[in-house]
Amino acid sequence: MKNMLALALIAVVASGCASGLSRSRGDLVLARYEPYIGEEIRGFTAFRQQSWQPVSRTQLILWTSMNDAYLLTISNNCPDLMFSNAIGVSSTVSEISTFEHVTVRGDRCMIQKIQPIDIRAWRRDRDANADRQASS
């Protein structure tokens, strides 16, 4: 009986550590781009969706080109967002707006908020920091 209790306790602690890792990874992603996140917009034109990166159950970064990325906040939460290999984003005539949704493993998660990320400024600052570190 003691062994079963010990195993149950280890499982609970391990699952807590794993969820903490997911949160901290998302926090790191958000912290990297946070100074470059702009004010909320109603929508944007996207002829294609290049890639995406989960931040949390309610946020993801959607890349539409090498220089264009958006922080999407979805209503409620998509429980599988952090673990999914693929998502879908609905659009109307190549326009992604707050009337659209993100599909994750069959769950439709409505887009609540869209914020552009100034990728050019982020890259400029990243390169300047790399140059400073290289010269020190």
Side-chain angles (χ1 to χ4, degrees):
M1 189 67 176
K2 283 184 179 181
N3 288 341
M4 292 298 284
L5 184 59
L7 286 174
L9 182 60
I10 289 170
V12 168
V13 169
S15 68
C17 291
S19 66
L21 288 175
S22 292
R23 265 183 295 210
S24 64
R25 184 177 57 220
D27 290 343
L28 290 173
V29 169
L30 190 57
R32 180 182 324 147
Y33 296 110
E34 201 160 28
Y36 308 97
I37 297 173
E39 295 296 317
E40 185 175 346
I41 59 174
R42 297 186 85 168
F44 59 94
T45 301
F47 295 108
R48 67 188 181 111
Q49 298 160 26
Q50 186 173 3
S51 65
W52 67 283
Q53 185 173 20
V55 174
S56 69
R57 289 176 155 192
T58 60
Q59 290 184 312
L60 65 111
I61 296 173
L62 180 67
W63 295 80
T64 58
S65 75
M66 195 168 106
N67 294 314
D68 296 310
Y70 301 87
L71 177 66
L72 303 182
T73 302
I74 52 179
S75 58
N76 300 324
N77 71 41
C78 277
D80 293 331
L81 183 61
M82 296 296 289
F83 310 104
S84 182
N85 293 327
I87 64 166
V89 181
S90 67
S91 63
T92 305
V93 194
S94 299
E95 180 77 16
I96 297 174
S97 71
T98 53
F99 297 110
E100 306 298 338
H101 63 271
V102 175
T103 304
V104 181
R105 294 184 181 170
D107 291 330
R108 288 176 52 150
C109 309
M110 296 304 295
I111 298 173
Q112 186 177 28
K113 187 173 167 183
I114 301 170
Q115 295 170 274
I117 302 174
D118 189 346
I119 296 301
R120 287 182 178 92
W122 175 79
R123 281 198 184 106
R124 189 174 48 246
D125 291 349
R126 180 196 63 187
D127 294 345
N129 286 336
D131 289 345
R132 267 186 255 139
Q133 289 178 354
S135 64
S136 6

